[in-house]
Amino acid sequence: MKIRPLHDRVVVRRSEEETKTAGGIVLPGSAAEKPNTGVVVSVGTGRVLDNGEVRPLALKEGDKVVFGPYSGNNTIKVDGEDLLIMSETEIFGVLEA
């Protein structure tokens, strides 16, 4: 099943949780923080401006993005996988190699 977000919405697959600290300490599941990075799975058509024009999004599928800890509160399950739906404005930036 595919999901296509509307307007300026973006579907993001959150990165895996870290189970070890930088020092090598293994964290239990309850202590691990949810990562603030993910990969864009799908993007909408763009933001509809006041004059009726559509401004395309700056993101594309496959972009690795950084978002805030409270961004993407809308979680859905598609084919057994948890995905986040958020507005483009909730994304802070794109990680580039």
Side-chain angles (χ1 to χ4, degrees):
M1 180 168 48
K2 274 189 89 166
I3 183 167
R4 182 179 51 91
L6 300 177
H7 305 297
D8 67 333
R9 301 275 191 254
V10 178
V11 178
V12 175
R13 177 182 302 118
R14 189 185 296 264
S15 298
E16 295 296 318
E17 294 179 4
E18 292 293 325
T19 56
K20 283 188 177 180
T21 65
I25 299 172
V26 177
L27 297 172
S30 60
E33 291 184 17
K34 291 190 177 188
N36 295 339
T37 61
V39 176
V40 175
V41 175
S42 183
V43 296
T45 55
R47 178 179 290 277
V48 178
L49 304 175
D50 291 335
N51 62 4
E53 293 181 21
V54 176
R55 182 184 57 84
L57 300 182
L59 300 168
K60 62 184 180 306
E61 291 180 21
D63 281 347
K64 188 170 182 179
V65 295
V66 178
F67 48 88
Y70 302 107
S71 300
N73 289 329
N74 302 315
T75 304
I76 59 166
K77 191 171 281 251
V78 177
D79 293 335
E81 180 179 28
D82 287 332
L83 299 172
L84 301 170
I85 296 180
M86 62 181 74
S87 175
E88 181 188 33
T89 57
E90 293 181 86
I91 297 175
F92 296 151
V94 178
L95 297 172
E96 297 177 349

